[in-house]
Amino acid sequence: MPKYYGCPCEGCGKPLTLQDDIVVCPDCGAPYHRVCYEKLGQCIHRPAHAAGCEWKFPYEESQLRTCPSCGERTLRDEETCRCCGAVLPPEGQEPPSSRGSGEETFDYSQMYRQFGTSADPEKAFFEDAFGKEAKMDGIARQDWLDYIGPAAPAYLAAYSRMQLQKSKVSMSFSALLFGPFYFFYRKAWKPAFGFLAAELLLAAPTFIELLQLSGSALAPAMSTSALTVFARVCSVLSFVLMLVRGMYGKWLYRKSAADHIRRIQSEFPDARQRQAVLRAQGGVSFGAVFLCGLLLSVCGSAFTLLLGPDLQAILNAFYG
């Protein structure tokens, strides 16, 4: 049986409902509305704590019935549920369950409530990090959920942890391994094109070597030893860039997403319309990943044309 829902708040005496923010005295277990507890500044039973005072459930089992709407225990002699406010039908006339009698389901939200925790632990974690207004970067949590899509709980949990740790670092193996493709997939256009340009620049030693092998007039006058040093430097920088992507990928995605959400908020003040636009323009894009691959193919084709007739000689030099 749930321990607190439907019980009177020890501060104001009103029933504790499913919508209330409930806190519990760590010494005696007495439940309060958070506002009431903060207003009092301490538990009203504090003088009795030293004597081992413990809060007890105030109702007998014979006084209770189960609400068919929320599944919580409420008082039998009242017309509405003390937990959710739903009108209680006469006992024995509860609507039958839509599931078969032999089918059992597990109610996770009820499990959370029984153990005195929030039915949405990710939301509680987010509020701990960003305050009761639940705004990150000035944007409401619901807008983040609508924009990010199905992966939002994982991202918001990571952002909450980063906020509490006052850090911008949170490892993203997707960004680490897939590079610019990760940011194109997440529609983070600025970091996507930025990392793509960096990858192309760091591939310069390979391009120079191919130009020299082809005898192209565009090949820079660079000795073999200088080119080797340049290639090693670029290799180290490429490794560093990969680590930066992995460590700061989520933070960069957050900044990019925040810019997009603010723009949408300014253009669509109506909540319902804004929600539809956030879901349409947010989420992920396989098409952007395809375009990124196509862009790399075009760059490769352009370089192949630049090498011209000497390409076969280069291939013969590499493969015999």
Side-chain angles (χ1 to χ4, degrees), residues 246-295:
M247 295 170 63
Y248 293 94
K250 289 181 180 178
W251 180 75
L252 291 170
Y253 172 53
R254 168 180 166 179
K255 293 302 177 184
S256 176
D259 290 340
H260 292 171
I261 295 173
R262 290 193 192 97
R263 177 180 55 80
I264 293 171
Q265 286 178 332
S266 63
E267 296 178 0
F268 300 94
D270 179 72
R272 183 172 297 181
Q273 190 178 20
R274 182 173 66 250
Q275 182 184 57
V277 176
L278 285 170
R279 291 180 177 180
Q281 296 191 14
V284 297
S285 174
F286 288 100
V289 175
F290 173 77
L291 290 176
C292 178
L294 184 63
L295 180 60

Side-chain angles (χ1 to χ4, degrees), residues 292-307:
C292 178
L294 184 63
L295 180 60
L296 291 175
S297 298
V298 170
C299 291
S301 299
F303 189 75
T304 300
L305 292 174
L306 184 64
L307 293 177

Side-chain angles (χ1 to χ4, degrees), residues 158-159 161-162 167-172 246-251:
Y159 294 145
R161 184 168 55 254
M162 292 161 65
S167 172
K168 297 178 181 178
V169 176
S170 180
M171 183 56 68
S172 170
M247 295 170 63
Y248 293 94
K250 289 181 180 178
W251 180 75

